[in-house]
Amino acid sequence: MTLDEEPSGTEDPHHPLVLHRVKKDEEVSWRTSASRQIRGHCSCTKDKARARLLGFFPILEWLPRYQLRDWILGDVMSGLIVGVLLVPQSIAYSLLAGQEPIYGLYTSFFSAIIYACLGTSRHISVGIFGVLCLLVGQVVERELAAAGYPSDTVLVAGGGFNTSAALLVAQGNSSLGPACDKSCYAIVVGATVTFTAGVYQLLMGLLQVGFVSVYLSDSLLSGFATGASLTILTSQLKYLLGLRVPRPQGWFTLIKTWHALLTNLADTNVCDLVTSLVCLLVLVPSKELNDRFKAKLKAPIPFELFVVIIATLASHFGRFDAEYGSGVAGAIPTGFLPPQLPDWSLIPSVAVDAFSIAVVGFAITVSLSEMFAKKHGYAVDANQEMYALGFCNVLPSFFRCFTTSAALTKTLVKESTGCQSQVSGLVTALVLLLVLLFIAPFFYSLQKCVLAVIIVVNLRGALRKFADVPRMWLANRIDACVWLVTMATSALVNTELGLVVGVLASAFCVLGRTQRAQAVALGRWSPSSSSSSSSSGGELYEDPLAYEGLRAAPRGVAVFRYPAPVYYANQSLFKSSLFRAAGLDPVEEKARRRKLEKKKKEGSDPGEEEEAATADAVAALGRSDDAENGAVGKEGAGESADGVTKVLMPAGKRREETAAAGGGVHSVVLDCSAVLFLDTAGVDALKEVRTDYRDLGVRLLLARCSASVLDTLERGGYSGPRNADREEPVFFSIGDAVRFAQSVSNGGEDKCDTHC
């Protein structure tokens, strides 16, 4: 019966289902295929050029269609609010990246403009992200130590950082000392890392490998972010306590940091500690209020900005830096510094770190953009997102910026305050521009402990993931294990290593599921108790341990299912699993027969041993006439005490006696519906199983194979024109395979075309 034929009412219920394959086009040579693709990519028409231009600059497509009257109010409101929130956060996260506050403002400003022009998401906010700042800061500290700069930051009189001197040196004024001091060299390293990460992202976009983000699962990214958050929290404790301890390098930084903190705990700055506690007591409850009443509030209240303003005024008039030695932000210049090139000699040293930063930044950006695009009913282009993020890193790196990506907290604020397009990003950039030109110097007296409090408070979302571990464990233990392994490695060992370990753990979990797959003996359900009166469409074969009311397969036929692909890594496990489920390993059976033949030649009587082995196998089968007429339970399906299904195979001259006892099996039907694919090793494994069972007088029949599996079987010579033996065809349904096995076993001459 073909697909376009309707089944007739007089169709023979015993006639097997036959579908005719669609004729495929003749395969073309690789040269022809390559030339077609090259001509397609190299050809240039007016429409194609316009589509490429609009695709690369999405703003040219959506800006002319901008609904000014409906969208402008929401975009302006969200842009202003995000800009106000970004001012203190940009200054704070500069501390985490090992940079001066001005560079955080630069980073947020340039990234907002570039992503508004090149990004395809309407809602995400691209800028400073805590995890990437941590990764950049670790590289900066390492390279500073390698260049011979002192670990402890040198303070000028009053406890502040001499940032203005560093900036003047960066602009070429060498009267203050060497060509580049510690602050200058730190941003050179940060900008070089950012440039290298951006180049990686542009190359990945050029090679159209945006799909790699799908290999970073949600559990992996969540565990990585949570582990990095623990490291961030630990790194900020020294600012909360007013301690000046160097950032440790290498592995186990979290443990080393805690050791340094506990060792220097007696040197705690009381002023910084009191300020930190007061800011925490204000910000934590205020953040909770914003979260609880976000549905009623038109916009979140910018408590962080209020705290920064009040703390700056208190520090300025109280002279906390001079009187108590409290660390402050120091001089923040206005305007922009001239562009400078990255340090090319540093690229080999930071190339590996930049790659992990590029992958993490892209994965987080794409996951957030796809999440909000799905929520609001539009599509994003993963490869264009790669380009946009790459340019958000490459271009700003010439203006002393560090790595950026999408940030969940600011994206949620942006979406909840009425954002409709990336015009809100341009409004945010305008707010930051006003700060850079006029307001930045007023943050001179802002204490660093206040910035650390802002960072710690914004870690609440990631740290709350620990409360979700029991729920994750109940939902999926494998994903929970990936989360725990990634989190523990990122926090306790090394942040970048945590990402690698998480990817490997996810890959091994996927491979492990194919390695642990076991062949399952199936029971039968049919509309009537008589199997001969039911059509193939009315029968179902399922696992009797999972469903009640299933009957045993017809006498002489064993039906199994293998729920995994069969390929080079698990082909031996597939064979052993099938043999174990069937209750007989053909190799062992052949060895037993050879042993019996040898004893027979030596004059001993092997009949007693063979009869004993046959009797044991029949007893283990657990299939009787009662089981044939009743439901199959654990024992009715032949399930032994150790959980292994026992099915008796014929054994030489005892085959007739065994069949008379009710346990002889002449055919094995393998349900391939769960076999997603086969490779050459998998096809060879099926050939070996078929040959081994044939030597024992047992047929192997395949059923319910997908079209791709059928093609692989045909190309591999298992079936189709290349297979000379057509005695064991492949069937579309298990019922057809079972009835074919019964008809052949009963001496029937039904030689109709039953193969696929």
Side-chain angles (χ1 to χ4, degrees), residues 302-381:
F303 288 105
E304 291 177 344
L305 185 62
F306 297 157
V307 168
V308 167
I309 294 174
I310 296 173
T312 303
L313 293 175
S315 176
H316 175 73
F317 291 105
R319 300 185 61 191
F320 290 168
D321 54 343
E323 297 292 335
Y324 305 103
S326 180
V328 296
I332 304 177
T334 57
F336 293 90
L337 298 173
Q340 68 175 9
L341 293 175
D343 188 346
W344 308 114
S345 62
L346 281 175
I347 292 180
S349 302
V350 302
V352 176
D353 305 279
F355 181 77
S356 62
I357 291 173
V359 172
V360 172
F362 167 70
I364 293 173
T365 302
V366 170
S367 62
L368 286 180
S369 62
E370 289 180 346
M371 180 177 68
F372 284 95
K374 182 178 180 181
K375 181 178 179 180
H376 292 275
Y378 62 92
V380 294
D381 185 352

Side-chain angles (χ1 to χ4, degrees), residues 9 61 236 452 456 473 489 505 579 593 718:
E61 183 175 2
Q236 297 307 299
V456 170
W473 184 263
T489 308
F579 295 158
R593 292 188 182 185
Y718 184 93

Side-chain angles (χ1 to χ4, degrees), residues 109-434:
F109 170 75
F110 284 109
S111 61
I113 295 177
I114 295 173
Y115 187 82
C117 298
L118 300 178
T120 58
S121 174
R122 304 174 191 170
H123 295 89
I124 66 171
S125 175
V126 174
I128 291 179
F129 182 54
V131 174
L132 296 186
C133 290
L134 172 69
L135 297 176
V136 172
Q138 291 176 343
V139 179
V140 169
E141 291 292 333
R142 186 190 68 203
E143 294 302 321
L144 285 175
Y149 288 96
S151 300
D152 293 325
T153 306
V154 179
L155 300 176
V156 299
F161 293 93
N162 195 353
T163 54
S164 59
L167 295 175
L168 290 173
V169 171
Q171 296 182 63
N173 187 348
S174 59
S175 61
L176 296 176
C180 195
D181 69 350
K182 182 177 180 179
S183 173
C184 171
Y185 191 71
I187 190 56
V188 169
V189 175
T192 304
V193 173
T194 301
F195 173 82
T196 310
V199 170
Y200 281 135
Q201 291 166 339
L202 291 178
L203 289 176
M204 288 189 285
L206 184 63
L207 298 175
Q208 303 287 299
V209 293
F211 64 89
V212 298
S213 62
V214 302
Y215 295 105
L216 302 178
S217 63
D218 292 339
S219 58
L220 186 152
L221 291 175
S222 176
F224 175 75
T226 305
S229 298
L230 288 176
T231 306
I232 294 172
L233 174 63
T234 303
S235 68
Q236 297 307 299
L237 289 178
K238 66 179 183 179
Y239 298 107
L240 298 180
L241 300 175
L243 299 176
R244 292 179 176 87
V245 295
R247 177 182 292 182
Q249 299 298 316
W251 290 6
F252 308 106
T253 56
L254 186 138
I255 300 174
K256 294 177 181 177
T257 303
W258 275 103
H259 178 267
L261 291 174
L262 295 176
T263 303
N264 297 274
L265 194 60
D267 299 329
T268 299
N269 188 301
V270 178
C271 179
D272 285 342
L273 178 59
V274 172
T275 304
S276 301
L277 293 177
V278 172
C279 292
L280 284 172
L281 291 176
V282 173
L283 284 179
V284 172
S286 62
K287 286 282 189 178
E288 293 297 330
L289 288 176
N290 269 338
D291 292 342
R292 177 167 297 185
F293 297 103
K294 62 182 179 181
K296 298 181 180 180
L297 294 173
K298 293 184 178 180
I301 303 174
F303 288 105
E304 291 177 344
L305 185 62
F306 297 157
V307 168
V308 167
I309 294 174
I310 296 173
T312 303
L313 293 175
S315 176
H316 175 73
F317 291 105
R319 300 185 61 191
F320 290 168
D321 54 343
E323 297 292 335
Y324 305 103
S326 180
V328 296
I332 304 177
T334 57
F336 293 90
L337 298 173
Q340 68 175 9
L341 293 175
D343 188 346
W344 308 114
S345 62
L346 281 175
I347 292 180
S349 302
V350 302
V352 176
D353 305 279
F355 181 77
S356 62
I357 291 173
V359 172
V360 172
F362 167 70
I364 293 173
T365 302
V366 170
S367 62
L368 286 180
S369 62
E370 289 180 346
M371 180 177 68
F372 284 95
K374 182 178 180 181
K375 181 178 179 180
H376 292 275
Y378 62 92
V380 294
D381 185 352
N383 285 308
Q384 181 60 30
E385 290 294 296
M386 188 87 82
Y387 282 126
L389 194 60
F391 280 110
C392 282
N393 288 321
V394 170
L395 297 181
S397 67
F398 297 106
F399 296 91
R400 299 172 176 84
C401 300
F402 46 91
T403 316
T404 58
S405 73
L408 177 60
T409 303
K410 293 183 283 291
T411 300
L412 290 173
V413 172
K414 189 175 181 180
E415 186 231 7
S416 63
T417 51
C419 172
Q420 298 293 334
S421 70
Q422 282 299 333
V423 168
S424 63
L426 299 177
V427 175
T428 299
L430 181 61
V431 174
L432 294 171
L433 180 62
L434 294 176

